[in-house]
């Protein structure tokens, strides 16, 4: 089928590649026109230089997949498309938007008759080969129309899951916002799983710095209870960086979904201690615990006369 | 090769089955002689009715794999075998013993010339088909002698890991105690991974009790970042029990490795907040937080006149 | 000076009593007119039966202290007063409103020339005797005008703090919202302190149920590092309830400030693991961890064949 | 009464001073003989230059209070005294020994008829003026004999606690080990309380770096729910260091009791999430979370192509 992509970065670019491999008709736009042009030449997607051009290049009803950073970039893109599109067209937000943005966005587009889908997309840079795991929220009619594209982007479902979710690795999980909600929780879980492995590998390394953690990680992929894609990536990372990881700074970013998961959990009275510990560990990796540590050092000095380390 | 098994429960029994499928010569003992006899009839293992008989049935140098619950049962079994075996024989503790038990055990057997291996074994009830992921600690010579059995018990290594750990899914990870240490940390990680999934699925369920979590779990196995064996088990569990899980009591046991992981982490000054949160969540599932909650309720009543709920 | 109070519950009623003891001229309103009448008779405050009557009873510029539950009750009361008051009048929100409500409220009142102060108030049911610790946010001019009332409500500052905060236990901590922000953080800390004591007393009780915790709590008030008002309340609680606390249900409520503290911390990238653990412990006390425990039990059953407890 | 002190550091020295102010007959020993001599000249205590001299200087039955660092120093001191003392004498370990050391120590001394008391002592450098809060474990007879010294070291009990614990701020809390156990838990609570304040003050500082935290801390001492000795020390610290605390390194030590508290809690199945978070925050302040952060950064790079920061 025909679909337009807005945003051709690590995720969007590979999704276009995957769709072109399945012979879909793709119109591709990026704010960097050179990126669009190059991708067009590589894949046969039609590169366009503006949203106006993009809209003009599509047959009606149009389908536009937005794959830009969440927050302002997604907001302004969806708003601009809302101005340009017509009744019966559909916008897909495939990025990591906060799920609370989706309801208002859908409501703002509804009077014009424009459909809005929120698609939580997991798979990272590996999605091109493996396929993208997609959690889709929004009206059934628009989901049905997009299904050929979703089928092609998704992995083919593994045998043991086919009786439950069918042939392709995507699901319609509910109304507007639910796709991003399920994806947000997915990422919250991801934080916790990563943290558990990070803690365990740290303990192994502290106990015996000579233990080859690439071997341990590869070993655990062979039938152990913790075998998982994230652990297989740990195996690759230890191979690439060595067990010491000494070339890496201990600095970990976070991109929002962990925070939102915790806030949603608090709203629902759900204890999420492991996920929260994971987010706070990232904050601490960036020195955000330094002030608290100074308070503790100052208090210990006050009551016990314990030495503090002074700067400089 | 020839090997004896002591303890024919869920783990030991299946390991004998797997070894017999590979045509090893297995002598099998269980304190319940009927269990040994039945397994012998099923598999062709030679059932024996006492440790003395077991030792007599083996050619020298003998190899005895102990697969009984950790703590007293393992301690008394290893001690009894130590009395019966001779120089050049080898004992394998394949259970979940605390790694700090291994050094003393090895040292107690050394004067008699008996080798001791500690093998952390992961795979659960699935190991019969999949193979057992094994982390082996102890002297190189004994490890080499046991390798035919380890090869057969282990899964065949997946293609992408073969260049690192060779053809079979087991590794010699260091001297006495290191096998159980690495397995202990593996289980600590397992606690954290399970807890992360439990938190996330709970939030999904609270947000929308009608969301079919079997579908979500199966979906996440298709290319998502959190795909993992534990999540595939979550998919099976939700299929079997329904999303509500209403037939299950919220009561979670723990078997030691999580506690030991945290204690080892504290000994090494390693922060393990996610793993610790996981253990404490299990304690709380068993009502062990009730007294603390009473203290909090009493305090709130004292300072704010907030109502407490009284029993009865 | 003259001041009106709206809301005569546990907090508001005692604040009127304290102001009357200091001979301020108090106009008192509660939606339950009997409460207002009784308090008027007890204290000499002028009871009124409506906000209109209350406004009519005051000299200009008027000062109205709102002491009703946060959320809708405070919102509707402030809005109604905003309709009735005039330029130069002042509204004080002395309740536990979320600090993010204050900016919009102040902005809504500003065009009419009505001042708005947010006063975080700590002290609970003990404030009548001890005085109320108050954190005041808003414009300096209005703070100055209210200062006679604040002086009377506050405790007289202890000798060792007088050189820093002056004679009375209240402070102007910044612009609109800052009073409630500082109070919110105060309560977040309170959660953490209470949880630390609850954990410790639980461990003492588990280790030796016969240890008299009223004695321990009273003992710790004598020169120990943890001596604190909350621990002195623990001493009272154990005296009243006995060490077993057996008459209390393990059910702990929360009233919002803990949640907001964590959300503000996440917004500022500040790790707050102890405060978060405290909130989650309260959730768990109310069974909100039950579903997660069921997930864990189901997973353990899947991989290890561990028994689950079934309902009924 | 007559008592000997071994160890004249920050704690022991001040305790001798306090006992001399109450006219007790004190024999004082420190491995640094100059320290003992100077303290003797200052206080009138009899300085001795060896444990042998100390034992010779005492009337029978002798009482020796050991106040040296826990671990090896205490172990070797108690052992040496055990060689020198006689039946009917008593040794007091007033330091922060692990409670599990007390039983074996008492048992080792029992055959010689030497009494052993474990006294958990709180109060820090302030104890000289305020008195020491003491939790005493051991046989009743020896406790009774030491009571004049305990009375003098302890604070005079505040009025509101006198009906529960009597005139002086110490208590006999049980048999050998219980004094150190209760003190250990006290210190675990202390960790949690300090962490709660550190988290809260950090959030205040991040939200508004210009907010004067010395003012806030002093304010909270005036009738607020969190008023406490530790917060009064925070007030002093902010006064001394300024709100920024910029001269302090974010490095926090720990001395054992926090770890032991968590281990004891795990042994008793008691969830202690706030106390554990506090210990882990101290580990993290010392960079012990760096390796885990590297693992996380490497994993994010693997699955998402997220940039890592490389060293140098």
């Amino acid at each position: 089928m025909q679909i337009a992509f807005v945003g051709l970065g690590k995720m969007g670019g590979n999704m276009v590649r995957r769709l072109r491999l399945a012979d879909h008709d793709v119109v591709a736009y990026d704010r960097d026109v050179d990126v669009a042009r190059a991708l067009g030449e590589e894949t046969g997607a039609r590169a366009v230089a503006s949203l106006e051009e993009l809209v003009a290049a599509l047959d009606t009803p149009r389908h536009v997949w937005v794959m830009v950073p969440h927050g302002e970039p997604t907001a302004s893109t969806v708003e601009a498309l809302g101005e340009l599109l017509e009744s019966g067209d559909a916008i897909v937000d495939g990025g990591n938007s906060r799920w609370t943005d989706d309801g208002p966005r859908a409501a703002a587009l509804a009077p014009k008759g424009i459909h809005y889908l929120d698609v939580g997309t997991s798979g990272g840079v590996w999605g091109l080969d493996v396929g993208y795991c997609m959690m889709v929220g929004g009206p059934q009619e628009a989901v049905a129309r997009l299904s050929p594209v979703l089928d092609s982007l998704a992995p083919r479902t593994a045998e043991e899951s086919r009786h439950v979710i069918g042939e392709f690795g995507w699901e319609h999980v509910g109304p507007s916002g639910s796709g991003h909600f399920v994806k947000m929780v997915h990422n919250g879980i991801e934080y916790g799983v990563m943290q558990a492995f990070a803690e365990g590998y740290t303990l192994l390394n502290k106990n015996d710095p000579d233990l080859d953690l690439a071997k341990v990680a590869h070993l655990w992929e062979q039938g152990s209870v913790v075998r998982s894609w994230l652990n297989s990536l740990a195996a690759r990372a230890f191979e690439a960086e060595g067990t010491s990881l000494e070339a890496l700074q201990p600095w970990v970013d976070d991109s929002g979904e962990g925070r939102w998961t915790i806030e949603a959990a608090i709203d629902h009275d759900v204890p999420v201690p492991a996920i929260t510990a994971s987010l706070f560990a990232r904050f601490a990796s960036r020195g955000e615990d330094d002030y608290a540590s100074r308070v503790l050092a100052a208090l210990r000095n006050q009551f016990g006369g314990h030495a503090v380390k002074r700067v400089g």
Side-chain angles (χ1 to χ4, degrees), chain A residues 6-82:
Chain A
V6 176
L8 307 174
K10 275 179 297 196
M11 291 295 285
N14 278 347
M15 293 173 91
V16 168
R17 287 183 184 91
R18 190 165 168 95
L19 288 174
R20 286 296 302 141
L21 290 171
D23 271 333
H24 291 283
D25 173 16
V26 183
V27 177
Y29 168 77
D30 193 272
R31 61 179 182 167
D32 181 338
V33 290
D34 293 338
V35 166
R37 189 177 313 125
L39 189 69
E41 283 164 17
E42 175 196 336
T43 63
R46 283 183 285 161
V48 293
S50 70
L51 293 182
E52 289 77 7
E53 218 182 299
L54 175 141
V55 169
L58 294 170
D59 304 325
T60 56
R62 303 175 187 88
H63 306 95
V64 185
W65 190 294
V66 178
M67 208 68 196
V68 302
H70 69 75
E72 198 283 322
T74 295
S76 59
T77 302
V78 171
E79 195 183 336
L81 286 169

